[in-house]
Amino acid sequence: MQSSLFDDDTRQTLSIEACAKTLAVSEATVRNWIKTGYLTLSNKGHVSHASVMQFKREILGKEKLYQRANKSQKDSHNHLLISADFLARAQSSEPANEALGKDYEDSLSDSYKNQEGIYYTPEHIVNDLFNLSDTSVKHKTFCDPCCGSGNFLLRALDLGFKPENLFGFDIDPVAVAIAKKRIFDHTGFVSNQIICADFLHLATTQETGHYDYIFTNPPWGKKIAKSEKDRLSRLLQAGNSLDTCALFYFACLHALNTHGVLGLLLPDAFFNVSAYADARASALSYQITRLCDYAKAFKGLQTNAVGLVLTKQENDAARQIDCLYENVHFQRTSDSLRHNPKYIFNLSCNNDEAALITHLYRIPHLTLEGYARWGLGIVTGNNTKYLRDKPEQGYVSVYKGSDITPRVLKTATNFLGTDFSQYQQVAPLHLYQAAEKLIYKFISSRLCFFYDTEARFIINSANLLITDDKFPISMSLLADLLNSELLNWLFKKLFNTHKVLRSDLERLPIHAQFLTDGHFIEADYLNALNIEKTEHGTFRIKK
């Protein structure tokens, strides 16, 4: 029987070619591991057999190189080894293209990408978002502050920017090496302006330079200390918008020339979540030219990716914004966004729908803010341990979100022990035991409220609210209003979310002057608001 390569312990060295075949990598990767000290080079270009054995036993045996070595290991990876492999490929004569950057991204674990907020932009989105009519770009400068493997930089070259006018930053040396190699392969130009550096840090020290065009996909939700976020926010004047994508938005503005163009690919939360309100207010002070919803652009991410393009000049309220939503093109005015609560960018609305929303908010109204007490459903911390599927002595019925309908609760199928001290999170018991309250689905894209008068308990897929005595309408009537078609339409068009958040409910307009404590009749409510329902199931202002 033929012996394996390592059966002969008397063999002292391996050729680089044999070593590459043994370890199932390229010869360039072996050379890079020699440079980084993982393998020991012996005489005449051979690798020490002992170092290969040690490397295979102590490193490859414990930490898989990359995804193709062990595709099930998606929560961890050996970043040093992956870096060595891809640096070698970037330094080789192998042509560098988008696929090399994609291979590198795929080699990184999901947990690492989540930690660093790394999701490289697909080429079709780069081409659509970064699409200019400017014919003088050969005299302009371009920067990608989070350049990754260079997709936006290569797009800039295709649009006519000169390679010597391209600038890029990234904290990942491997991505920077791939980007520089791609520029060289495309133009023959060796750039020293694509550098490994933290653009956020440079922006706060006024060392970024200033550019005519900035297009980038900044890290989404990168995990950094709150103290550092607060420091960056203070220096960048970002207000309460503390997520890394918002901080990059403000950093890019600082580095953009007057009349320059900024394009960002951002999570949809940037456009409708309260935490980003300061960033949206800032964007509305400039001339927004495009808003494009690219749906779920990244594998493994449930959030939509939305493109924002603006020019750094004073906003012209009369100018239309080109919008793309669900492959439909239409136009909006910036005023139609400015009048939304918290400056929400509700991209799913056309101008007529936006006008209706503005109409609803212009009519005198109340909101629930300051008029209600709120409570979360019970969080046990371990439903399998604590919930029962049949009633037992000392247990009470509990209702989950899927049990709630506007008119009735489904029969309880979950029961919970009454020693509430053992659970992870419990609202004050008097809220659950109130004589009347509203309970509602939390995980839902629709409003679904039930008026409860039997002191029922709920678990964490349901929440509750109790209005104050000074609120002018009854809770039963409020439940009917919140379940109405109009409020559901408004909720979807304004917030477009799959969670019913307290902050969103507190922004809904309640026109109490058109409501009485009698039975809610939606047709009468619409008529009082001068609104009519269309044949397509939507709403419009009466003509």
Side-chain angles (χ1 to χ4, degrees):
M1 182 177 71
Q2 186 177 3
S3 62
S4 71
L5 183 63
F6 292 122
D7 282 344
D8 181 5
D9 286 337
T10 63
R11 186 168 183 170
Q12 300 299 311
T13 64
L14 292 172
S15 69
I16 290 177
E17 179 183 5
C19 182
K21 289 181 179 178
T22 300
L23 299 176
V25 296
S26 68
E27 292 180 35
T29 297
V30 171
R31 291 190 177 93
N32 223 49
W33 287 340
I34 293 170
K35 291 178 184 177
T36 53
Y38 277 108
L39 300 173
T40 302
L41 187 65
S42 299
N43 61 324
K44 297 181 181 179
H46 280 60
V47 180
S48 160
H49 174 221
S51 72
V52 174
M53 289 289 289
Q54 183 179 10
F55 180 80
K56 188 175 184 182
R57 180 178 61 253
E58 297 183 2
I59 298 177
L60 286 184
K62 296 180 180 179
E63 301 183 71
K64 299 302 182 181
L65 272 176
Y66 31 70
Q67 186 183 28
R68 67 175 177 266
N70 186 350
K71 292 188 177 181
S72 67
Q73 296 268 350
K74 289 305 293 173
D75 286 333
S76 63
H77 69 268
N78 188 316
H79 197 69
L80 188 60
L81 296 184
I82 289 172
S83 297
D85 181 22
F86 281 90
L87 279 172
R89 293 173 66 179
Q91 294 162 2
S92 72
S93 58
E94 171 189 352
N97 52 30
E98 185 193 16
L100 182 58
K102 186 67 169 61
D103 286 348
Y104 175 58
E105 182 189 8
D106 287 345
S107 73
L108 304 175
S109 67
D110 291 341
S111 59
Y112 180 83
K113 286 188 285 190
N114 180 262
Q115 174 77 21
E116 297 297 320
I118 297 173
Y119 296 95
Y120 289 173
T121 317
E123 187 174 16
H124 73 280
I125 293 180
V126 172
N127 293 344
D128 183 77
L129 183 65
F130 192 12
N131 188 9
L132 307 177
S133 58
D134 188 349
T135 58
S136 62
V137 294
K138 64 181 180 180
H139 304 299
K140 304 287 181 67
T141 53
F142 172 81
C143 175
D144 183 347
C146 317
C147 65
S149 60
N151 287 354
F152 278 109
L153 293 167
L154 270 291
R155 176 61 174 167
L157 290 173
D158 291 340
L159 290 171
F161 288 86
K162 291 182 178 180
E164 57 266 34
N165 290 337
L166 300 188
F167 298 81
F169 303 85
D170 204 286
I171 62 171
D172 186 340
V174 178
V176 168
I178 294 172
K180 292 175 72 171
K181 178 66 159 51
R182 293 179 68 189
I183 292 172
F184 175 77
D185 287 350
H186 198 77
T187 66
F189 179 76
V190 179
S191 177
N192 61 1
Q193 296 171 163
I194 313 301
I195 64 175
C196 187
D198 184 345
F199 185 83
L200 280 181
H201 172 73
L202 296 177
T204 57
T205 55
Q206 304 300 314
E207 296 178 14
T208 57
H210 287 84
Y211 312 99
D212 299 309
Y213 287 87
I214 298 176
F215 276 74
T216 194
N217 173 11
W220 300 2
K222 181 178 178 179
K223 307 300 187 295
I224 59 177
K226 186 178 185 304
S227 59
E228 177 64 4
K229 287 184 179 181
D230 290 339
R231 186 187 73 85
L232 291 169
S233 174
R234 184 174 63 256
L235 293 171
L236 295 169
Q237 299 179 313
N240 293 319
S241 299
L242 299 180
D243 185 85
T244 47
C245 68
L247 294 173
F248 266 96
Y249 160 78
F250 285 101
C252 290
L253 277 179
H254 280 269
L256 189 66
N257 287 328
T258 301
H259 301 296
V261 177
L262 171 62
L264 295 168
L265 189 68
L266 299 162
D268 56 5
F270 182 94
F271 300 91
N272 61 19
V273 172
S274 295
Y276 300 90
D278 289 330
R280 293 193 293 269
S282 168
L284 284 167
S285 68
Y286 299 104
Q287 188 63 63
I288 300 174
T289 56
R290 293 189 70 200
L291 291 169
C292 306
D293 190 314
Y294 295 110
K296 292 176 176 57
F298 302 107
K299 185 178 179 181
L301 280 186
Q302 292 304 308
T303 186
N304 280 18
V306 180
L308 164 69
V309 181
L310 62 79
T311 302
K312 193 177 180 181
Q313 65 186 45
E314 186 177 354
N315 174 50
D316 177 2
R319 181 168 175 176
Q320 298 285 324
I321 302 169
D322 291 324
C323 299
L324 173 70
Y325 183 78
E326 294 185 344
N327 295 317
V328 176
H329 291 268
F330 55 94
Q331 293 189 320
R332 291 279 298 275
T333 63
S334 59
D335 272 358
S336 73
L337 304 173
R338 192 188 315 280
H339 292 147
N340 285 335
K342 301 290 186 180
Y343 310 110
I344 288 173
F345 285 27
N346 50 338
L347 186 53
S348 64
C349 289
N350 59 35
N351 266 335
D352 289 340
E353 292 169 329
L356 174 54
I357 293 173
T358 300
H359 170 77
L360 283 169
Y361 278 93
R362 281 180 175 165
I363 299 172
H365 62 275
L366 297 172
T367 68
L368 284 170
E369 187 172 11
Y371 281 101
R373 290 166 291 163
W374 303 79
L376 301 177
I378 296 167
V379 180
T380 68
N382 188 335
N383 284 350
T384 301
K385 177 180 178 180
Y386 292 115
L387 288 181
R388 301 288 185 268
D389 57 7
K390 294 180 180 179
E392 299 180 14
Q393 186 173 0
Y395 279 68
V396 294
S397 302
V398 289
Y399 296 83
K400 54 187 184 293
S402 58
D403 295 329
I404 300 172
T405 75
R407 296 299 172 196
V408 298
L409 283 181
K410 297 178 183 177
T411 301
T413 57
N414 291 278
F415 304 88
L416 194 63
T418 53
D419 178 8
F420 295 103
S421 64
Q422 62 188 319
Y423 306 132
Q424 189 177 86
Q425 185 173 334
V426 181
L429 291 181
H430 70 268
L431 295 180
Y432 304 119
Q433 296 170 333
E436 57 175 349
K437 65 179 181 288
L438 300 187
I439 59 178
Y440 61 94
K441 290 185 179 182
F442 171 58
I443 306 299
S444 177
S445 57
R446 286 185 57 83
L447 301 179
C448 185
F449 285 74
F450 177 77
Y451 173 58
D452 175 43
T453 58
E454 296 184 19
R456 295 173 172 96
F457 286 87
I458 53 175
I459 54 177
N460 59 313
S461 56
N463 291 337
L464 67 86
L465 72 88
I466 300 171
T467 56
D468 293 342
D469 292 339
K470 58 185 176 181
F471 196 66
I473 64 173
S474 68
M475 275 192 274
S476 62
L477 191 58
L478 178 61
D480 288 339
L481 175 63
L482 291 170
N483 287 323
S484 69
E485 292 184 69
L486 177 65
L487 266 290
N488 265 283
W489 176 89
L490 179 60
F491 180 82
K492 178 175 177 56
K493 288 295 180 179
L494 197 55
F495 305 116
N496 195 25
T497 178
H498 295 291
K499 291 182 179 179
V500 180
L501 302 176
R502 169 183 170 175
S503 59
D504 294 341
L505 292 174
E506 287 184 326
R507 293 183 218 147
L508 291 173
I510 298 170
H511 301 90
Q513 66 271 35
F514 303 130
L515 297 166
T516 66
D517 280 339
H519 182 65
F520 175 76
I521 301 175
E522 185 161 9
D524 293 344
Y525 189 62
L526 293 176
N527 189 57
L529 293 168
N530 198 37
I531 293 172
E532 61 185 359
K533 189 175 179 181
T534 73
E535 62 275 14
H536 302 296
T538 186
F539 298 88
R540 66 188 174 201
I541 303 170
K542 286 184 179 179
K543 297 179 180 179

